[in-house]
Amino acid sequence: MGQIAKGVGCSVVGCDNQAIRSLSTEKVSTAGLKVGERRRTYLCKAHYKEYKRKTKKEKMAEKWRYKG
Ligand SMILES: [Zn+2]
């Protein structure tokens, strides 16, 4: 799961790296990454890291919010 065929490029605008992960575009744009309007978004290693970091932050913020 999450594995993609070789030779697919990263979908982030201005990035030409080879993608290592495919995610739904909705999730990726929610994380604040600038991607096109295709259904699937492909992320390179660096952008996948960035995506993970941003979603982690969001989850942490939620935790704090619930803590009151
Ligand atoms: Zn990239």
Side-chain angles (χ1 to χ4, degrees):
M1 216 183 90
Q3 286 234 319
I4 56 169
K6 273 185 185 172
V8 181
C10 180
S11 303
V12 176
V13 175
C15 181
D16 290 326
N17 292 332
Q18 192 181 322
I20 57 144
R21 282 282 191 278
S22 106
L23 296 141
S24 82
T25 302
E26 201 187 344
K27 278 186 185 175
V28 177
S29 38
T30 302
L33 289 173
K34 206 177 175 190
V35 291
E37 288 182 5
R38 271 178 286 178
R39 228 191 218 172
R40 298 299 291 176
T41 288
Y42 301 98
L43 293 181
C44 66
K45 208 173 176 181
H47 278 119
Y48 183 63
K49 262 191 183 176
E50 198 180 326
Y51 163 77
K52 291 260 280 189
R53 204 166 47 222
K54 287 185 176 178
T55 49
K56 211 182 256 178
K57 249 185 209 168
E58 232 165 66
K59 271 178 199 158
M60 258 164 66
E62 248 170 55
K63 236 185 214 173
W64 281 108
R65 208 157 52 212
Y66 285 128
K67 242 182 179 178

Short mmCIF file of all heavy atoms in Angstrom, two decimals:
data_model
loop_
_atom_site.label_atom_id
_atom_site.label_comp_id
_atom_site.label_asym_id
_atom_site.label_seq_id
_atom_site.Cartn_x
_atom_site.Cartn_y
_atom_site.Cartn_z
N MET A 1 0.84 -1.20 0.00
CA MET A 1 0.00 0.00 0.00
C MET A 1 0.87 1.25 0.00
O MET A 1 1.88 1.30 0.67
CB MET A 1 -0.90 0.00 1.23
CG MET A 1 -2.26 0.60 0.93
SD MET A 1 -3.27 0.66 2.40
CE MET A 1 -2.80 2.30 2.99
N GLY A 2 0.46 2.22 -0.79
CA GLY A 2 1.23 3.45 -0.83
C GLY A 2 2.39 3.39 -1.80
O GLY A 2 2.99 4.40 -2.09
N GLN A 3 2.66 2.19 -2.30
CA GLN A 3 3.77 2.06 -3.24
C GLN A 3 3.31 2.43 -4.64
O GLN A 3 2.19 2.16 -5.03
CB GLN A 3 4.28 0.63 -3.23
CG GLN A 3 5.07 0.33 -1.97
CD GLN A 3 6.43 -0.23 -2.33
OE1 GLN A 3 6.56 -1.01 -3.22
NE2 GLN A 3 7.45 0.22 -1.64
N ILE A 4 4.21 3.04 -5.38
CA ILE A 4 3.84 3.46 -6.73
C ILE A 4 4.88 3.00 -7.74
O ILE A 4 5.98 2.65 -7.38
CB ILE A 4 3.67 4.99 -6.80
CG1 ILE A 4 4.94 5.67 -6.33
CG2 ILE A 4 2.49 5.45 -5.99
CD1 ILE A 4 4.94 7.13 -6.63
N ALA A 5 4.48 3.04 -8.98
CA ALA A 5 5.38 2.61 -10.05
C ALA A 5 6.57 3.55 -10.17
O ALA A 5 6.50 4.72 -9.82
CB ALA A 5 4.61 2.58 -11.35
N LYS A 6 7.65 3.02 -10.67
CA LYS A 6 8.85 3.83 -10.84
C LYS A 6 8.65 4.86 -11.94
O LYS A 6 7.91 4.63 -12.89
CB LYS A 6 10.02 2.92 -11.22
CG LYS A 6 10.71 2.37 -9.99
CD LYS A 6 11.94 1.58 -10.39
CE LYS A 6 12.56 0.93 -9.17
NZ LYS A 6 13.64 0.02 -9.54
N GLY A 7 9.30 5.98 -11.76
CA GLY A 7 9.29 6.98 -12.82
C GLY A 7 8.20 8.02 -12.70
O GLY A 7 8.07 8.88 -13.54
N VAL A 8 7.41 7.96 -11.63
CA VAL A 8 6.38 8.98 -11.44
C VAL A 8 7.00 10.17 -10.71
O VAL A 8 7.72 9.99 -9.74
CB VAL A 8 5.20 8.43 -10.62
CG1 VAL A 8 4.14 9.49 -10.43
CG2 VAL A 8 4.62 7.22 -11.31
N GLY A 9 6.70 11.35 -11.20
CA GLY A 9 7.28 12.55 -10.60
C GLY A 9 6.42 13.09 -9.48
O GLY A 9 5.22 12.83 -9.40
N CYS A 10 7.04 13.85 -8.62
CA CYS A 10 6.36 14.52 -7.52
C CYS A 10 5.33 15.53 -8.07
O CYS A 10 5.61 16.23 -9.03
CB CYS A 10 7.41 15.23 -6.67
SG CYS A 10 6.73 16.12 -5.27
N SER A 11 4.17 15.58 -7.44
CA SER A 11 3.10 16.45 -7.94
C SER A 11 3.17 17.87 -7.41
O SER A 11 2.40 18.72 -7.81
CB SER A 11 1.73 15.88 -7.55
OG SER A 11 1.58 14.58 -8.04
N VAL A 12 4.06 18.11 -6.47
CA VAL A 12 4.16 19.46 -5.91
C VAL A 12 4.68 20.42 -6.98
O VAL A 12 5.61 20.09 -7.72
CB VAL A 12 5.10 19.47 -4.68
CG1 VAL A 12 5.28 20.90 -4.15
CG2 VAL A 12 4.51 18.60 -3.58
N VAL A 13 4.03 21.56 -7.04
CA VAL A 13 4.38 22.54 -8.05
C VAL A 13 5.85 22.94 -7.92
O VAL A 13 6.30 23.31 -6.83
CB VAL A 13 3.48 23.79 -7.91
CG1 VAL A 13 3.92 24.89 -8.87
CG2 VAL A 13 2.03 23.41 -8.17
N GLY A 14 6.59 22.82 -9.01
CA GLY A 14 7.97 23.24 -9.03
C GLY A 14 8.95 22.16 -8.58
O GLY A 14 10.15 22.42 -8.50
N CYS A 15 8.46 20.97 -8.28
CA CYS A 15 9.34 19.90 -7.83
C CYS A 15 9.44 18.82 -8.91
O CYS A 15 8.42 18.37 -9.43
CB CYS A 15 8.81 19.30 -6.53
SG CYS A 15 9.86 17.99 -5.89
N ASP A 16 10.66 18.42 -9.22
CA ASP A 16 10.88 17.43 -10.28
C ASP A 16 11.41 16.10 -9.75
O ASP A 16 11.83 15.26 -10.50
CB ASP A 16 11.88 17.97 -11.30
CG ASP A 16 11.27 19.10 -12.11
OD1 ASP A 16 10.05 19.04 -12.36
OD2 ASP A 16 12.00 20.02 -12.48
N ASN A 17 11.39 15.93 -8.46
CA ASN A 17 11.93 14.69 -7.88
C ASN A 17 11.03 13.50 -8.17
O ASN A 17 9.84 13.65 -8.45
CB ASN A 17 12.09 14.85 -6.37
CG ASN A 17 13.18 15.84 -6.02
OD1 ASN A 17 14.13 16.02 -6.77
ND2 ASN A 17 13.02 16.49 -4.89
N GLN A 18 11.61 12.32 -8.04
CA GLN A 18 10.83 11.12 -8.24
C GLN A 18 9.95 10.86 -7.03
O GLN A 18 10.40 10.96 -5.88
CB GLN A 18 11.75 9.94 -8.48
CG GLN A 18 10.99 8.73 -8.97
CD GLN A 18 11.89 7.53 -9.19
OE1 GLN A 18 13.01 7.67 -9.64
NE2 GLN A 18 11.40 6.37 -8.85
N ALA A 19 8.70 10.52 -7.27
CA ALA A 19 7.76 10.31 -6.18
C ALA A 19 7.96 8.95 -5.53
O ALA A 19 8.33 7.98 -6.19
CB ALA A 19 6.34 10.43 -6.71
N ILE A 20 7.72 8.89 -4.24
CA ILE A 20 7.82 7.63 -3.52
C ILE A 20 6.50 7.24 -2.88
O ILE A 20 6.32 6.13 -2.43
CB ILE A 20 8.90 7.69 -2.41
CG1 ILE A 20 8.61 8.84 -1.44
CG2 ILE A 20 10.29 7.84 -3.00
CD1 ILE A 20 8.96 8.50 -0.01
N ARG A 21 5.57 8.16 -2.85
CA ARG A 21 4.28 7.87 -2.21
C ARG A 21 3.15 8.50 -3.01
O ARG A 21 3.30 9.56 -3.59
CB ARG A 21 4.23 8.49 -0.81
CG ARG A 21 4.99 7.72 0.23
CD ARG A 21 4.20 6.51 0.68
NE ARG A 21 4.79 5.91 1.86
CZ ARG A 21 5.82 5.07 1.84
NH1 ARG A 21 6.38 4.76 0.69
NH2 ARG A 21 6.28 4.55 2.95
N SER A 22 2.00 7.85 -2.99
CA SER A 22 0.83 8.44 -3.61
C SER A 22 -0.24 8.63 -2.55
O SER A 22 -0.49 7.77 -1.72
CB SER A 22 0.34 7.55 -4.75
OG SER A 22 -0.81 6.87 -4.40
N LEU A 23 -0.83 9.80 -2.54
CA LEU A 23 -1.83 10.14 -1.54
C LEU A 23 -3.00 10.84 -2.22
O LEU A 23 -2.89 11.24 -3.37
CB LEU A 23 -1.23 11.10 -0.51
CG LEU A 23 -0.09 10.54 0.33
CD1 LEU A 23 0.97 11.59 0.53
CD2 LEU A 23 -0.60 10.08 1.66
N SER A 24 -4.09 11.01 -1.52
CA SER A 24 -5.19 11.74 -2.11
C SER A 24 -4.85 13.23 -2.10
O SER A 24 -4.29 13.74 -1.13
CB SER A 24 -6.50 11.47 -1.39
OG SER A 24 -6.61 12.27 -0.25
N THR A 25 -5.20 13.88 -3.19
CA THR A 25 -4.87 15.29 -3.33
C THR A 25 -5.47 16.12 -2.20
O THR A 25 -4.86 17.06 -1.71
CB THR A 25 -5.40 15.80 -4.68
OG1 THR A 25 -4.81 15.02 -5.72
CG2 THR A 25 -5.05 17.26 -4.92
N GLU A 26 -6.64 15.73 -1.77
CA GLU A 26 -7.32 16.46 -0.71
C GLU A 26 -6.48 16.51 0.56
O GLU A 26 -6.29 17.56 1.16
CB GLU A 26 -8.66 15.77 -0.44
CG GLU A 26 -9.65 16.68 0.25
CD GLU A 26 -10.90 15.92 0.64
OE1 GLU A 26 -11.11 14.81 0.13
OE2 GLU A 26 -11.64 16.45 1.47
N LYS A 27 -5.97 15.36 0.94
CA LYS A 27 -5.15 15.28 2.15
C LYS A 27 -3.93 16.16 2.04
O LYS A 27 -3.57 16.87 2.98
CB LYS A 27 -4.70 13.83 2.38
CG LYS A 27 -5.73 12.99 3.05
CD LYS A 27 -5.14 11.64 3.36
CE LYS A 27 -6.19 10.69 3.92
NZ LYS A 27 -5.63 9.35 4.10
N VAL A 28 -3.29 16.09 0.88
CA VAL A 28 -2.04 16.82 0.71
C VAL A 28 -2.28 18.33 0.71
O VAL A 28 -1.53 19.08 1.32
CB VAL A 28 -1.35 16.38 -0.59
CG1 VAL A 28 -0.08 17.18 -0.82
CG2 VAL A 28 -1.00 14.90 -0.51
N SER A 29 -3.34 18.77 0.06
CA SER A 29 -3.58 20.21 0.06
C SER A 29 -4.03 20.70 1.42
O SER A 29 -3.78 21.83 1.80
CB SER A 29 -4.55 20.64 -1.05
OG SER A 29 -5.57 19.72 -1.21
N THR A 30 -4.69 19.84 2.17
CA THR A 30 -5.05 20.20 3.55
C THR A 30 -3.80 20.45 4.39
O THR A 30 -3.79 21.31 5.26
CB THR A 30 -5.88 19.07 4.19
OG1 THR A 30 -7.02 18.85 3.40
CG2 THR A 30 -6.32 19.44 5.60
N ALA A 31 -2.75 19.71 4.08
CA ALA A 31 -1.49 19.87 4.81
C ALA A 31 -0.75 21.12 4.37
O ALA A 31 0.27 21.47 4.94
CB ALA A 31 -0.62 18.64 4.62
N GLY A 32 -1.24 21.78 3.33
CA GLY A 32 -0.66 23.05 2.92
C GLY A 32 0.35 22.94 1.79
O GLY A 32 1.01 23.92 1.46
N LEU A 33 0.45 21.77 1.17
CA LEU A 33 1.37 21.63 0.04
C LEU A 33 0.66 22.04 -1.25
O LEU A 33 -0.52 21.77 -1.44
CB LEU A 33 1.87 20.19 -0.06
CG LEU A 33 2.84 19.77 1.04
CD1 LEU A 33 3.13 18.28 0.93
CD2 LEU A 33 4.13 20.54 0.97
N LYS A 34 1.44 22.69 -2.11
CA LYS A 34 0.86 23.18 -3.35
C LYS A 34 0.93 22.11 -4.43
O LYS A 34 1.98 21.82 -4.97
CB LYS A 34 1.62 24.43 -3.80
CG LYS A 34 0.79 25.34 -4.65
CD LYS A 34 1.56 26.58 -5.00
CE LYS A 34 0.76 27.44 -5.96
NZ LYS A 34 1.59 28.53 -6.51
N VAL A 35 -0.21 21.52 -4.72
CA VAL A 35 -0.25 20.47 -5.73
C VAL A 35 -1.31 20.79 -6.78
O VAL A 35 -2.13 21.67 -6.59
CB VAL A 35 -0.56 19.09 -5.09
CG1 VAL A 35 0.59 18.62 -4.24
CG2 VAL A 35 -1.83 19.15 -4.28
N GLY A 36 -1.28 20.03 -7.87
CA GLY A 36 -2.24 20.24 -8.94
C GLY A 36 -3.62 19.72 -8.55
O GLY A 36 -3.86 19.38 -7.40
N GLU A 37 -4.48 19.61 -9.55
CA GLU A 37 -5.85 19.20 -9.25
C GLU A 37 -6.16 17.79 -9.68
O GLU A 37 -7.30 17.43 -9.93
CB GLU A 37 -6.82 20.19 -9.89
CG GLU A 37 -6.79 21.51 -9.13
CD GLU A 37 -7.77 22.52 -9.71
OE1 GLU A 37 -8.53 22.15 -10.61
OE2 GLU A 37 -7.76 23.66 -9.26
N ARG A 38 -5.13 16.99 -9.79
CA ARG A 38 -5.37 15.59 -10.11
C ARG A 38 -5.94 14.86 -8.91
O ARG A 38 -5.82 15.31 -7.78
CB ARG A 38 -4.05 14.93 -10.53
CG ARG A 38 -3.82 15.08 -12.02
CD ARG A 38 -2.50 14.46 -12.40
NE ARG A 38 -1.40 15.31 -11.96
CZ ARG A 38 -0.13 14.98 -12.14
NH1 ARG A 38 0.18 13.85 -12.72
NH2 ARG A 38 0.83 15.77 -11.73
N ARG A 39 -6.55 13.73 -9.17
CA ARG A 39 -7.17 12.97 -8.11
C ARG A 39 -6.14 12.45 -7.12
O ARG A 39 -6.33 12.49 -5.92
CB ARG A 39 -7.92 11.80 -8.72
CG ARG A 39 -9.31 11.72 -8.15
CD ARG A 39 -9.93 10.44 -8.55
NE ARG A 39 -11.34 10.68 -8.83
CZ ARG A 39 -12.15 9.77 -9.35
NH1 ARG A 39 -11.66 8.61 -9.70
NH2 ARG A 39 -13.40 10.03 -9.52
N ARG A 40 -5.07 11.89 -7.67
CA ARG A 40 -4.01 11.36 -6.83
C ARG A 40 -2.84 12.32 -6.85
O ARG A 40 -2.56 12.96 -7.86
CB ARG A 40 -3.52 10.00 -7.33
CG ARG A 40 -4.58 8.94 -7.31
CD ARG A 40 -5.12 8.66 -5.93
NE ARG A 40 -4.14 8.01 -5.06
CZ ARG A 40 -4.37 7.73 -3.78
NH1 ARG A 40 -5.50 8.08 -3.23
NH2 ARG A 40 -3.46 7.14 -3.06
N THR A 41 -2.20 12.42 -5.74
CA THR A 41 -1.02 13.26 -5.65
C THR A 41 0.18 12.37 -5.33
O THR A 41 0.11 11.49 -4.49
CB THR A 41 -1.22 14.32 -4.56
OG1 THR A 41 -2.15 15.28 -5.02
CG2 THR A 41 0.08 15.02 -4.21
N TYR A 42 1.26 12.63 -6.03
CA TYR A 42 2.48 11.86 -5.79
C TYR A 42 3.50 12.75 -5.12
O TYR A 42 3.71 13.88 -5.54
CB TYR A 42 3.01 11.32 -7.12
CG TYR A 42 2.00 10.43 -7.79
CD1 TYR A 42 1.19 10.93 -8.80
CD2 TYR A 42 1.84 9.11 -7.38
CE1 TYR A 42 0.23 10.12 -9.40
CE2 TYR A 42 0.89 8.31 -7.96
CZ TYR A 42 0.09 8.81 -8.98
OH TYR A 42 -0.85 8.02 -9.56
N LEU A 43 4.09 12.21 -4.07
CA LEU A 43 5.07 13.01 -3.34
C LEU A 43 6.45 12.36 -3.35
O LEU A 43 6.58 11.14 -3.22
CB LEU A 43 4.62 13.17 -1.88
CG LEU A 43 3.35 14.00 -1.64
CD1 LEU A 43 3.06 14.08 -0.15
CD2 LEU A 43 3.48 15.39 -2.21
N CYS A 44 7.46 13.19 -3.49
CA CYS A 44 8.84 12.72 -3.37
C CYS A 44 9.16 12.57 -1.88
O CYS A 44 8.37 12.95 -1.01
CB CYS A 44 9.79 13.71 -4.04
SG CYS A 44 9.86 15.30 -3.21
N LYS A 45 10.35 12.06 -1.61
CA LYS A 45 10.75 11.81 -0.24
C LYS A 45 10.67 13.09 0.61
O LYS A 45 10.13 13.09 1.71
CB LYS A 45 12.18 11.27 -0.23
CG LYS A 45 12.47 10.39 0.95
CD LYS A 45 13.85 9.78 0.76
CE LYS A 45 14.24 8.95 1.96
NZ LYS A 45 15.59 8.39 1.82
N ALA A 46 11.23 14.16 0.08
CA ALA A 46 11.29 15.41 0.84
C ALA A 46 9.90 15.96 1.12
O ALA A 46 9.61 16.39 2.24
CB ALA A 46 12.11 16.43 0.06
N HIS A 47 9.05 15.92 0.11
CA HIS A 47 7.71 16.48 0.30
C HIS A 47 6.84 15.56 1.15
O HIS A 47 5.94 16.02 1.84
CB HIS A 47 7.06 16.77 -1.04
CG HIS A 47 7.53 18.08 -1.61
ND1 HIS A 47 8.19 18.18 -2.81
CD2 HIS A 47 7.44 19.33 -1.09
CE1 HIS A 47 8.49 19.46 -3.01
NE2 HIS A 47 8.05 20.17 -1.99
N TYR A 48 7.11 14.27 1.07
CA TYR A 48 6.37 13.36 1.94
C TYR A 48 6.71 13.63 3.40
O TYR A 48 5.84 13.65 4.26
CB TYR A 48 6.68 11.91 1.57
CG TYR A 48 5.89 10.92 2.37
CD1 TYR A 48 4.50 10.88 2.27
CD2 TYR A 48 6.51 10.03 3.24
CE1 TYR A 48 3.76 9.99 3.01
CE2 TYR A 48 5.78 9.12 3.99
CZ TYR A 48 4.41 9.10 3.86
OH TYR A 48 3.67 8.21 4.60
N LYS A 49 7.98 13.89 3.65
CA LYS A 49 8.41 14.25 5.00
C LYS A 49 7.71 15.52 5.46
O LYS A 49 7.24 15.62 6.59
CB LYS A 49 9.92 14.49 5.01
CG LYS A 49 10.71 13.30 5.50
CD LYS A 49 12.14 13.74 5.73
CE LYS A 49 13.01 12.57 6.15
NZ LYS A 49 14.41 12.96 6.27
N GLU A 50 7.68 16.48 4.56
CA GLU A 50 7.04 17.75 4.89
C GLU A 50 5.56 17.53 5.19
O GLU A 50 5.00 18.07 6.15
CB GLU A 50 7.21 18.71 3.71
CG GLU A 50 6.99 20.16 4.11
CD GLU A 50 7.17 21.08 2.93
OE1 GLU A 50 8.01 20.81 2.06
OE2 GLU A 50 6.45 22.09 2.87
N TYR A 51 4.94 16.72 4.36
CA TYR A 51 3.53 16.41 4.55
C TYR A 51 3.30 15.75 5.92
O TYR A 51 2.39 16.13 6.66
CB TYR A 51 3.07 15.48 3.43
CG TYR A 51 1.78 14.77 3.71
CD1 TYR A 51 0.55 15.42 3.58
CD2 TYR A 51 1.77 13.43 4.10
CE1 TYR A 51 -0.62 14.77 3.85
CE2 TYR A 51 0.60 12.77 4.37
CZ TYR A 51 -0.60 13.44 4.24
OH TYR A 51 -1.76 12.79 4.52
N LYS A 52 4.15 14.79 6.25
CA LYS A 52 4.02 14.10 7.54
C LYS A 52 4.18 15.08 8.70
O LYS A 52 3.45 15.02 9.68
CB LYS A 52 5.08 13.00 7.64
CG LYS A 52 4.83 11.84 6.71
CD LYS A 52 4.20 10.67 7.40
CE LYS A 52 5.25 9.90 8.16
NZ LYS A 52 4.72 8.63 8.68
N ARG A 53 5.18 15.95 8.54
CA ARG A 53 5.44 16.92 9.60
C ARG A 53 4.23 17.82 9.80
O ARG A 53 3.82 18.12 10.92
CB ARG A 53 6.66 17.74 9.23
CG ARG A 53 7.36 18.35 10.42
CD ARG A 53 8.74 18.86 10.07
NE ARG A 53 8.74 19.65 8.86
CZ ARG A 53 9.66 19.57 7.89
NH1 ARG A 53 10.64 18.74 8.01
NH2 ARG A 53 9.59 20.33 6.83
N LYS A 54 3.65 18.25 8.72
CA LYS A 54 2.51 19.18 8.83
C LYS A 54 1.27 18.51 9.38
O LYS A 54 0.54 19.10 10.15
CB LYS A 54 2.23 19.80 7.46
CG LYS A 54 3.31 20.79 7.13
CD LYS A 54 3.03 21.53 5.85
CE LYS A 54 4.12 22.57 5.66
NZ LYS A 54 3.99 23.33 4.44
N THR A 55 1.04 17.27 8.98
CA THR A 55 -0.15 16.59 9.51
C THR A 55 0.06 16.26 10.98
O THR A 55 -0.88 16.27 11.75
CB THR A 55 -0.44 15.30 8.72
OG1 THR A 55 0.75 14.56 8.62
CG2 THR A 55 -0.98 15.62 7.35
N LYS A 56 1.28 15.97 11.34
CA LYS A 56 1.57 15.68 12.75
C LYS A 56 1.26 16.91 13.61
O LYS A 56 0.65 16.82 14.65
CB LYS A 56 3.05 15.31 12.89
CG LYS A 56 3.28 14.33 14.02
CD LYS A 56 4.75 14.02 14.16
CE LYS A 56 5.09 12.65 13.59
NZ LYS A 56 6.54 12.37 13.68
N LYS A 57 1.70 18.05 13.12
CA LYS A 57 1.46 19.30 13.84
C LYS A 57 -0.02 19.53 14.05
O LYS A 57 -0.47 19.94 15.10
CB LYS A 57 2.04 20.45 13.02
CG LYS A 57 3.26 21.07 13.69
CD LYS A 57 3.71 22.28 12.89
CE LYS A 57 5.20 22.48 13.03
NZ LYS A 57 5.72 23.45 12.07
N GLU A 58 -0.78 19.24 13.00
CA GLU A 58 -2.22 19.44 13.08
C GLU A 58 -2.83 18.55 14.15
O GLU A 58 -3.67 18.96 14.92
CB GLU A 58 -2.84 19.11 11.73
CG GLU A 58 -3.72 20.22 11.21
CD GLU A 58 -4.02 20.00 9.75
OE1 GLU A 58 -4.70 19.01 9.45
OE2 GLU A 58 -3.55 20.79 8.93
N LYS A 59 -2.39 17.30 14.17
CA LYS A 59 -2.91 16.36 15.15
C LYS A 59 -2.56 16.82 16.57
O LYS A 59 -3.35 16.69 17.48
CB LYS A 59 -2.33 14.98 14.88
CG LYS A 59 -3.19 14.20 13.92
CD LYS A 59 -2.58 12.85 13.64
CE LYS A 59 -3.16 12.27 12.34
NZ LYS A 59 -2.28 11.26 11.77
N MET A 60 -1.35 17.33 16.71
CA MET A 60 -0.93 17.80 18.02
C MET A 60 -1.78 18.98 18.47
O MET A 60 -2.17 19.07 19.62
CB MET A 60 0.54 18.20 17.99
CG MET A 60 1.42 17.13 18.62
SD MET A 60 3.15 17.30 18.22
CE MET A 60 3.53 18.82 19.04
N ALA A 61 -2.07 19.85 17.53
CA ALA A 61 -2.90 21.01 17.85
C ALA A 61 -4.28 20.55 18.31
O ALA A 61 -4.86 21.12 19.23
CB ALA A 61 -3.02 21.91 16.62
N GLU A 62 -4.77 19.52 17.66
CA GLU A 62 -6.07 18.99 18.05
C GLU A 62 -6.03 18.46 19.48
O GLU A 62 -6.93 18.69 20.26
CB GLU A 62 -6.45 17.85 17.11
CG GLU A 62 -7.62 18.22 16.22
CD GLU A 62 -7.83 17.19 15.14
OE1 GLU A 62 -7.96 16.00 15.48
OE2 GLU A 62 -7.85 17.58 13.96
N LYS A 63 -4.98 17.75 19.78
CA LYS A 63 -4.82 17.20 21.10
C LYS A 63 -4.88 18.32 22.16
O LYS A 63 -5.56 18.21 23.15
CB LYS A 63 -3.47 16.50 21.20
CG LYS A 63 -3.60 15.03 21.62
CD LYS A 63 -2.23 14.45 21.82
CE LYS A 63 -2.19 12.98 21.42
NZ LYS A 63 -0.85 12.44 21.46
N TRP A 64 -4.14 19.35 21.86
CA TRP A 64 -4.09 20.47 22.79
C TRP A 64 -5.48 21.08 22.99
O TRP A 64 -5.87 21.47 24.08
CB TRP A 64 -3.12 21.55 22.32
CG TRP A 64 -1.71 21.18 22.62
CD1 TRP A 64 -0.76 20.80 21.71
CD2 TRP A 64 -1.06 21.14 23.89
NE1 TRP A 64 0.42 20.53 22.35
CE2 TRP A 64 0.27 20.73 23.67
CE3 TRP A 64 -1.50 21.41 25.20
CZ2 TRP A 64 1.17 20.58 24.72
CZ3 TRP A 64 -0.58 21.27 26.23
CH2 TRP A 64 0.72 20.87 25.99
N ARG A 65 -6.17 21.17 21.85
CA ARG A 65 -7.49 21.78 21.91
C ARG A 65 -8.42 20.95 22.81
O ARG A 65 -9.16 21.47 23.62
CB ARG A 65 -8.06 21.86 20.50
CG ARG A 65 -9.02 23.02 20.36
CD ARG A 65 -9.17 23.46 18.91
NE ARG A 65 -9.49 22.33 18.07
CZ ARG A 65 -9.09 22.22 16.79
NH1 ARG A 65 -8.37 23.14 16.25
NH2 ARG A 65 -9.42 21.18 16.08
N TYR A 66 -8.35 19.65 22.64
CA TYR A 66 -9.23 18.78 23.42
C TYR A 66 -8.85 18.78 24.91
O TYR A 66 -9.67 18.53 25.77
CB TYR A 66 -9.22 17.38 22.87
CG TYR A 66 -9.99 17.27 21.59
CD1 TYR A 66 -9.45 16.72 20.45
CD2 TYR A 66 -11.31 17.74 21.51
CE1 TYR A 66 -10.15 16.64 19.27
CE2 TYR A 66 -12.02 17.67 20.35
CZ TYR A 66 -11.45 17.10 19.23
OH TYR A 66 -12.15 17.03 18.07
N LYS A 67 -7.60 19.03 25.15
CA LYS A 67 -7.13 19.03 26.54
C LYS A 67 -7.78 20.18 27.33
O LYS A 67 -7.98 20.08 28.52
CB LYS A 67 -5.62 19.20 26.56
CG LYS A 67 -4.93 18.00 27.19
CD LYS A 67 -3.44 18.25 27.24
CE LYS A 67 -2.72 17.09 27.90
NZ LYS A 67 -1.27 17.32 27.89
N GLY A 68 -8.06 21.24 26.57
CA GLY A 68 -8.71 22.40 27.23
C GLY A 68 -7.68 23.16 28.00
O GLY A 68 -7.81 23.43 29.16
ZN ZN B 1 8.61 16.95 -4.23
#
